[in-house]
Amino acid sequence: MHTLKIGVLKDMFKQLPKYAIVDKIDIGEWEYTKGTFLGDDGYEMDENFKSTIKTGDHHPSYYDCAHFFKASVTIPECMAGKPLRAKLAVGGEALVNCNGKYVAGSTFRDALPDRANVTLPVAKAGDVLNFEVESTVDSMCFCDEHVIGGAEYQDCLFGETTIFTVDEEAEGYLFDIEVAFDCLPFIKDEHIYSKVYAAIDDSLHIVDYDFEPDRVRESMKEARKFFNKKLQEIKWEAQSKVMLTGHSHIDVAWLWRVQESIRKSARTFTNVVNLMDQYPEMTFGQSEAVLYDMTKKHYPAIYERIKEKVANNQWDICGNVWVEADTNLASGESLIRQVLYGTEFFKNEFGKVSKTYWLPDCFGFTAALPQIIKGCGMENFITSKLTYNDTTKFPYNMFMWRGNNGDTIYAHLMRPSYNCHYRAEEIIHADDECNNKSELTTAMSMYGYGDGGGGPTREMLERGRRLQNFPGMPKTEIGHIDDFFMTYHGHEDELPVWNGEMYYENHRGTFTSQAFVKKNNRKCEYLLTRNEIMSVLLKELTGEEYPKDKLEEGWRILMTNQFHDILPGSSIHEVFDDCKLTYAQLRNILNEIKGTKLKGLCKAVKADKDTVTVWNLASAVSREPVEVDGVPENLVAEGYNCVRKDGKLIFTPEVQQLSFKVIKLVEGKACENKKSDCTTLENDKLLVKIDENGQLTSVFDKINDREALNGKGNILTISLDKCIHETAWNLELNYKKKMWELKDTVSAEVVEDNELRKVIRFVKKFNKSTITQDYILYADGDSVIFDTEVDWHESDKVLKAGFDVSVIDTDATYDIAHGAFKRPTHYNTAYDLTRFEVAAHKWADLSEGSYGCSIINDCKYGYDIHDSHMRITLMRAPTMPDPTGDHGINTFKYEFHPHNGDWRFDTVQRANAFNIPPVAMYNAEATDGKLENEQFITIDKKNVSLEAFKVAQDGNGYIIRFVEDEQARGNVTVNLGIDFTKVIETNMIEENKEEIKCEGNSFTFFTKPYEVKTFRIIK
């Protein structure tokens, strides 16, 4: 006879958990002190506060708080030698130390199942357990209370604090039946379903309910034997497998500051190493060298336990990165450095690295990434983020991913997410999504609490033991991420191929939110690489020491701020307050290096008195304005139109790529302004007409004898930007429904009109904000520049600048990390429509057969090009999780550049020069340096750029890196202004591949479209 209603069985089961606990003791009253966590500086204790606390009391928690609770308890005879646990529901997130050892990270919250139960070592009667618990705010819950509700603190309940023993057989039976109930809905074979159901039913009826606890426990033991015997009698052979690994995605910053990740790592990693002691089969994958580095510095005892677990092959080093960086916005060189410095850390600390690039949670993946992954010695890529696409379903879970240069890697889209709990539903989901089931039989999943840390739990691992071969279910196996991918190696022909970027149909607002972060990222990326170049040159010219430690300190600051909730602008306000400080620190480092190296380089040049030495560190001819301090009022640059502004001499010399130029100063006056109106900008190349609203009505290209606009240009619009709760992340298409076109001009004036340039200033107001733009056309310029200041005080708005261009094509082209990528300008399919906002770096272009238009910028990343309307996204005003994001003064530049041909004509070079302006120094006295040859590095093809030139990590020579920019292939010859004896091609992380033939100071290599080439130069 079978019980007909499963609900009856579930109610019977709910009556049993209390029997797993045998003895329990209340710990009682705790000593209570508190302070503030200062990150690297430790703690600042509140010396005036000392109290006690007990179950039922409350305490206030807030960002960076540190509550310290101490108590002792003596083990009674009844608990001696038995499995011992503690429940420490002290409120918030806590790190538990017992008798001088870290034993658990304990979280007690309402939003998610709490993990306040702590496993303790077996103890003897009379042993004393000394607990020290440090608690802080539960950041995951506090954010909404704080940002939306205005709460100053989180009211935390100091809940149950007890120690107790368990009956392991009773507890084991509870897990057995829980997993069986969990599996029943997913068992498709009715015969197996019936047998599992009967095993549950019959075993529950063996239990002697409502008798004395010991009798109930004894009957549960018998019921467990019966249940497992019945399961073993079911004949079942699974045809597929789900491999799982433990994980805890720890956001370096998000709803907490970067420094809180120090404590989050300690809590999580303590959980993991202690669980590994109890469950030898457990594996755990953790990326992000920065978290290991934090743990090493602040919790060396925990770090040593990690090293033990890495050595015994339970703990996987994976990802090989410094942080899990946003890949839409970080430059190609930054993404390489993430792996270079991450790999270096892991090799030095653990002697091993991974073959898998690990990014479970990023907001889309650039088409440049497969080349970077492969070039950094890896083969595989794993994520889960695309499962949250808002419109179309990503078609594969196991596939080959081909980048824009043609490199192909193994890729896995893990379904469901990276925060799984090792439950039957998740196993079935992962198995169901496995594509090409006739050939491919293994899927991958991760289990453990993530985002805010925590990791796997004992309950998850107990479920895992029971799900290994459960009748009617796929086989499960705890394993390693690299081993999972090896199950597909050799099956390339059976796997589908995804070409190009993996666009995330969500979180489009992250291309623009927190504009100051984007600006600092762009500026510092170039400052770092150009400082490296100057440092190498000066080392060769004068022997001055290369500042490797300072430069790498700078890279680590930049890389940390490229984490995928910092650079995208999706963290709390406090994170961005910290960013302002760390970026200031970074810029101080870089400006100090820049000033020292520029002064040294200028002294190394042979130059007369009263000259200016101009250095162009870009891989493009520069005609950008040079601003020089200290030049006497009576001197101007010979042969150039000059103006003076803010004490600086300004002119626009033409300087070849990667070269310097000495310019003579002579007696003369700066250009004087003439009177003119605000309706035109004109030189020999362009005639620009402007209406009273500050909108361009015509941009006539005199060189190519055609109009670039088909409508108007620099159309400023502000749209209502209402989306779902996560406003910093999301830009929804409904922003187009309500839009204000900024036509009313508060003021318009000609600021300059002289032989060098004309500058017209337009001021516009909207609500609480003011937009000031200088429209600039240089005498020799072929672009209209918009030098912009926005005093921004809006909420839930987005500011864009649009251009109606006289160009038609179905695809626009965008600058990405390495090279370029095309995207549609139409909405033919649902997938096309989802890309209504896309990420680009320095430029975006729309070209037809023989003509095109580019929008070039110095620090923006969001664009939309639909039909023939091109727009750049300038500002957003999200209110969650930072209600005042971007409020205040924001400055940036962009330019509208019409051109012959397509983007390959000169857009890449223009954008490089625009983003890497020349640097210059006034020579008040003659310099007697030996350097006379102006071009210090010559690249004979304009489509190839210098990406980096630095001292090698191992000190053996220099590393020089190039990237092909224009989707071309062929031989490239490079001439270096230094002597060398050998050139060795390396991969991106500086591992030698093969020697390259060189002649004198030159060497030649072959490059494919968008290929990155790296070489070691040996003196």
Side-chain angles (χ1 to χ4, degrees):
M1 176 182 175
H2 292 310
T3 302
L4 298 179
K5 294 182 179 179
I6 195 171
V8 172
L9 299 180
K10 288 184 176 180
D11 280 342
M12 292 173 69
F13 178 67
K14 288 177 184 177
Q15 298 174 43
L16 298 180
K18 61 186 178 183
Y19 295 105
I21 298 175
V22 181
D23 296 296
K24 181 186 287 191
I25 296 176
D26 192 328
I27 295 174
E29 194 170 71
W30 294 65
E31 295 178 20
Y32 175 23
T33 56
K34 65 181 180 180
T36 301
F37 181 58
L38 304 176
D40 286 338
D41 294 326
Y43 295 86
E44 181 179 57
M45 297 303 297
D46 183 350
E47 300 296 341
N48 297 318
F49 182 87
K50 189 172 183 180
S51 184
T52 59
I53 195 167
K54 62 184 183 302
T55 298
D57 292 343
H58 290 76
H59 56 91
S61 286
Y62 39 85
Y63 293 130
D64 305 319
C65 71
H67 301 282
F68 296 95
F69 310 116
K70 291 184 179 181
S72 298
V73 63
T74 302
I75 301 297
E77 187 66 40
C78 64
M79 290 186 169
K82 296 180 180 179
L84 187 62
R85 310 267 174 81
K87 182 162 187 176
L88 302 174
V90 299
E93 300 183 42
L95 179 62
V96 180
N97 187 300
C98 182
N99 290 349
K101 293 184 179 180
Y102 296 111
V103 294
S106 169
T107 304
F108 183 63
R109 62 169 62 150
D110 296 326
L112 291 172
D114 74 79
R115 50 182 312 152
N117 285 354
V118 174
T119 300
L120 299 171
V122 172
K124 302 189 299 293
D127 285 352
V128 177
L129 303 182
N130 297 301
F131 290 105
E132 297 182 21
V133 180
E134 178 193 347
S135 172
T136 189
V137 70
D138 176 8
S139 306
M140 293 283 285
C141 294
F142 184 49
C143 181
D144 280 359
E145 299 170 16
H146 179 58
V147 175
I148 297 175
E152 294 297 320
Y153 62 88
Q154 183 182 65
D155 185 41
C156 286
L157 169 67
F158 192 87
E160 178 184 331
T161 59
T162 57
I163 61 169
F164 57 93
T165 58
V166 295
D167 183 303
E168 290 185 310
E169 284 293 330
E171 185 182 55
Y173 182 57
L174 294 174
F175 281 120
D176 293 342
I177 301 302
E178 177 201 329
V179 168
F181 274 132
D182 211 18
C183 291
L184 275 179
F186 306 104
I187 299 174
K188 297 175 182 178
D189 187 308
E190 292 184 7
H191 296 281
I192 294 175
Y193 176 95
S194 298
K195 291 177 180 180
V196 172
Y197 186 96
I200 297 170
D201 186 0
D202 294 346
S203 73
L204 285 172
H205 283 86
I206 292 173
V207 177
D208 291 336
Y209 286 87
D210 305 323
F211 286 87
E212 292 298 319
D214 287 344
R215 178 172 173 178
V216 177
R217 293 187 189 106
E218 190 61 30
S219 66
M220 289 173 70
K221 182 177 179 180
E222 294 303 314
R224 187 182 189 200
K225 288 180 183 176
F226 173 86
F227 175 78
N228 284 302
K229 178 177 179 293
K230 287 297 183 182
L231 279 195
Q232 291 167 12
E233 290 173 355
I234 301 173
K235 294 181 180 179
W236 165 253
E237 185 177 350
Q239 300 300 305
S240 60
K241 178 172 68 177
V242 178
M243 188 178 289
L244 297 101
T245 190
H247 178 47
S248 180
H249 180 66
I250 302 175
D251 285 308
V252 172
W254 176 30
L255 307 181
W256 47 87
R257 299 167 63 194
V258 170
Q259 70 177 39
E260 186 56 37
S261 288
I262 297 170
R263 295 194 288 180
K264 282 185 175 290
S265 297
R267 294 189 287 266
T268 301
F269 297 163
T270 295
N271 283 333
V272 173
V273 295
N274 284 297
L275 279 172
M276 285 178 169
D277 290 341
Q278 302 164 52
Y279 297 89
E281 74 273 23
M282 179 184 172
T283 63
F284 178 81
Q286 182 66 53
S287 70
E288 302 193 288
V290 69
L291 300 179
Y292 291 83
D293 192 46
M294 290 174 175
T295 308
K296 180 182 179 182
K297 290 174 181 175
H298 295 273
Y299 296 91
I302 299 173
Y303 191 70
E304 288 305 311
R305 296 291 322 278
I306 293 172
K307 295 185 85 168
E308 291 172 17
K309 299 306 181 184
V310 172
N312 74 9
N313 207 35
Q314 285 183 279
W315 187 299
D316 275 348
I317 299 298
C318 56
N320 302 340
V321 291
W322 185 251
V323 302
E324 293 179 12
D326 180 275
T327 75
N328 288 313
L329 312 180
S331 70
E333 186 63 24
S334 289
L335 292 172
I336 291 170
R337 299 301 177 99
Q338 290 282 355
V339 184
L340 176 68
Y341 296 124
T343 298
E344 183 179 56
F345 180 91
F346 290 131
K347 281 183 176 178
N348 289 342
E349 293 294 319
F350 303 102
K352 62 171 67 176
V353 292
S354 173
K355 289 293 185 182
T356 302
Y357 195 84
W358 178 283
L359 281 183
D361 180 33
C362 276
F363 313 145
F365 307 98
T366 174
L369 203 52
Q371 180 179 197
I372 293 170
I373 293 170
K374 198 166 188 177
C376 290
M378 292 177 281
E379 302 169 335
N380 317 311
F381 169 80
I382 190 165
T383 187
S384 69
K385 199 64 178 181
L386 300 181
T387 60
Y388 301 103
N389 276 355
D390 61 17
T391 304
T392 68
K393 180 179 178 179
F394 193 82
Y396 315 122
N397 81 321
M398 191 67 212
F399 56 102
M400 304 301 294
W401 182 18
R402 182 177 295 138
N404 64 332
N405 77 315
D407 278 348
T408 304
I409 58 171
Y410 295 87
H412 186 65
L413 173 60
M414 187 173 50
R415 296 186 174 107
S417 81
Y418 53 85
N419 284 328
C420 291
H421 302 148
Y422 218 136
R423 290 196 174 275
E425 181 179 10
E426 297 158 350
I427 302 302
I428 290 294
H429 190 175
D431 185 66
D432 285 349
E433 294 292 342
C434 191
N435 51 278
N436 198 359
K437 290 182 172 60
S438 63
E439 301 288 344
L440 310 175
T441 59
T442 304
M444 186 73 199
S445 186
M446 299 175 188
Y447 63 96
Y449 289 112
D451 295 321
T457 65
R458 190 173 57 85
E459 290 79 9
M460 294 175 193
L461 285 154
E462 289 288 347
R463 286 195 287 268
R465 285 181 168 178
R466 289 156 177 81
L467 283 167
Q468 288 181 59
N469 288 291
F470 198 92
M473 295 286 291
K475 179 181 173 63
T476 71
E477 176 183 302
I478 289 177
H480 300 277
I481 187 70
D482 287 354
D483 292 343
F484 161 73
F485 277 103
M486 286 305 298
T487 65
Y488 289 97
H489 282 234
H491 295 271
E492 296 86 353
D493 293 342
E494 291 132 33
L495 290 169
V497 178
W498 181 267
N499 284 274
E501 73 176 344
M502 288 195 280
Y503 180 86
Y504 181 43
E505 298 172 19
N506 213 332
H507 295 0
R508 303 166 182 90
T510 58
F511 309 151
T512 310
S513 295
Q514 298 291 353
F516 88 93
V517 176
K518 272 71 170 177
K519 181 175 181 177
N520 276 281
N521 182 72
R522 177 81 61 83
K523 300 297 185 185
C524 291
E525 283 179 331
Y526 283 119
L527 269 173
L528 274 162
T529 56
R530 300 313 111 170
N531 275 348
E532 288 175 337
I533 293 169
M534 288 196 291
S535 298
V536 167
L537 293 175
L538 195 59
K539 182 176 186 292
E540 281 299 303
L541 290 169
T542 69
E544 184 171 312
E545 184 179 359
Y546 182 88
K548 185 174 185 288
D549 291 344
K550 278 291 184 185
L551 286 165
E552 291 190 359
E553 179 186 356
W555 273 111
R556 287 186 176 88
I557 294 171
L558 179 77
M559 291 188 301
T560 300
N561 284 342
Q562 288 176 333
F563 180 75
H564 63 256
D565 275 308
I566 301 178
L567 182 52
S570 48
S571 289
I572 57 174
H573 179 82
E574 289 80 357
V575 169
F576 298 113
D577 280 345
D578 289 344
C579 270
K580 290 170 184 173
L581 296 176
T582 55
Y583 279 131
Q585 177 188 355
L586 173 55
R587 295 190 80 133
N588 285 339
I589 292 170
L590 297 182
N591 287 332
E592 180 184 346
I593 296 173
K594 176 184 171 184
T596 301
K597 300 307 176 185
L598 178 60
K599 186 180 293 185
L601 285 173
C602 288
K603 285 183 178 179
V605 171
K606 187 173 180 59
D608 293 333
K609 176 184 178 181
D610 287 333
T611 56
V612 171
T613 306
V614 182
W615 290 83
N616 175 20
L617 301 169
S619 298
V621 176
S622 175
R623 300 177 185 86
E624 294 298 309
V626 170
E627 299 184 357
V628 193
D629 283 315
V631 177
E633 289 284 336
N634 62 320
L635 297 180
V636 294
E638 184 179 37
Y640 295 96
N641 296 317
C642 301
V643 298
R644 286 191 174 275
K645 186 176 181 181
D646 300 328
K648 296 178 180 179
L649 184 70
I650 303 172
F651 57 103
T652 55
E654 180 176 303
V655 188
Q656 295 303 306
Q657 64 164 332
L658 303 168
S659 67
F660 69 90
K661 192 170 192 174
V662 178
I663 295 168
K664 185 178 180 181
L665 300 176
V666 296
E667 291 276 346
K669 291 184 177 180
C671 299
E672 295 183 355
N673 289 319
K674 58 187 177 182
K675 290 185 177 181
S676 63
D677 60 36
C678 298
T679 61
T680 59
L681 295 167
E682 185 174 11
N683 62 15
D684 292 340
K685 298 176 181 178
L686 294 178
L687 171 60
V688 181
K689 295 182 180 179
I690 309 167
D691 68 15
E692 67 278 8
N693 301 315
Q695 295 181 344
L696 311 186
T697 58
S698 172
V699 178
F700 187 78
D701 183 342
K702 295 180 181 181
I703 301 297
N704 294 293
D705 192 30
R706 65 166 287 170
E707 174 62 51
L709 295 182
N710 183 23
K712 294 191 175 183
N714 204 44
I715 307 164
L716 296 182
T717 58
I718 291 180
S719 299
L720 184 67
D721 182 13
K722 291 290 186 182
C723 58
I724 61 173
H725 170 66
E726 296 177 325
T727 60
W729 288 264
N730 297 315
L731 176 71
E732 303 294 350
L733 195 53
N734 72 316
Y735 83 88
K736 292 187 175 185
K737 289 179 71 71
K738 188 174 180 65
M739 184 182 300
W740 297 269
E741 191 172 315
L742 304 188
K743 290 186 174 181
D744 296 335
T745 299
V746 174
S747 64
E749 62 173 324
V750 177
V751 176
E752 290 183 44
D753 190 357
N754 49 53
E755 287 85 356
L756 177 68
R757 62 190 179 187
K758 183 174 181 179
V759 182
I760 306 173
R761 180 168 297 162
F762 288 90
V763 179
K764 298 184 178 186
K765 284 188 175 292
F766 176 85
N767 193 27
K768 302 174 183 178
S769 301
T770 303
I771 297 130
T772 304
Q773 290 194 302
D774 287 351
Y775 295 29
I776 306 172
L777 182 63
Y778 282 88
D780 59 350
D782 53 5
S783 301
V784 186
I785 300 168
F786 302 92
D787 191 348
T788 306
E789 178 184 284
V790 180
D791 188 5
W792 190 242
H793 298 280
E794 301 307 313
S795 296
D796 293 339
K797 305 290 189 299
V798 58
L799 170 66
K800 287 177 171 274
F803 297 83
D804 298 316
V805 297
S806 184
V807 177
I808 299 173
D809 196 11
T810 57
D811 293 286
T813 309
Y814 301 84
D815 179 40
I816 63 171
H818 288 135
F821 191 72
K822 290 183 178 180
R823 300 176 178 118
T825 60
H826 53 75
Y827 296 158
N828 281 0
T829 68
Y831 181 49
D832 297 332
L833 178 60
T834 65
R835 291 175 283 175
F836 59 83
E837 180 87 357
V838 296
H841 289 203
K842 300 180 294 296
W843 56 268
D845 181 86
L846 184 63
S847 294
E848 54 192 29
S850 61
Y851 197 76
C853 296
S854 300
I855 301 175
I856 298 169
N857 74 84
D858 73 340
C859 62
K860 297 297 173 185
Y861 294 89
Y863 281 92
D864 73 279
I865 300 176
H866 184 228
D867 294 334
S868 297
H869 188 56
M870 304 178 69
R871 292 200 297 180
I872 181 171
T873 310
L874 304 178
M875 298 294 302
R876 292 193 73 230
T879 52
M880 183 68 189
D882 179 5
T884 59
D886 290 322
H887 285 200
I889 301 295
N890 295 265
T891 59
F892 50 86
K893 295 179 183 178
Y894 59 97
E895 65 177 28
F896 179 69
H897 176 58
H899 56 79
N900 190 27
D902 67 6
W903 58 275
R904 296 173 182 84
F905 179 73
D906 69 349
T907 294
V908 175
Q909 290 74 35
R910 291 278 313 163
N912 283 341
F914 193 66
N915 277 269
I916 310 174
V919 291
M921 181 169 287
Y922 167 57
N923 303 310
E925 301 295 334
T927 57
D928 58 354
K930 299 178 181 179
L931 191 59
E932 295 182 353
N933 182 22
E934 292 184 352
Q935 198 152 13
F936 50 87
I937 299 176
T938 303
I939 307 168
D940 75 339
K941 300 290 192 302
K942 82 175 184 68
N943 60 299
V944 174
S945 296
L946 176 67
E947 183 96 335
F949 193 18
K950 60 183 283 288
V951 165
Q953 289 304 108
D954 61 6
N956 183 21
Y958 300 114
I959 295 296
I960 192 165
R961 188 163 18 253
F962 304 94
V963 60
E964 198 290 314
D965 292 319
E966 296 181 2
Q967 204 176 16
R969 68 179 68 218
N971 287 322
V972 180
T973 298
V974 174
N975 187 286
L976 300 181
I978 63 173
D979 295 326
F980 58 88
T981 60
K982 187 184 295 185
V983 178
I984 302 170
E985 185 172 0
T986 74
N987 65 9
M988 294 178 185
I989 55 173
E990 307 181 13
E991 295 171 337
N992 290 348
K993 292 165 65 176
E994 61 180 350
E995 188 171 342
I996 302 295
K997 183 180 178 182
C998 56
E999 294 183 12
N1001 288 357
S1002 297
F1003 64 97
T1004 299
F1005 59 90
F1006 182 82
T1007 183
K1008 296 182 292 186
Y1010 300 139
E1011 187 174 14
V1012 178
K1013 303 286 278 190
T1014 307
F1015 303 94
R1016 184 187 300 272
I1017 308 298
I1018 305 292
K1019 292 289 292 177

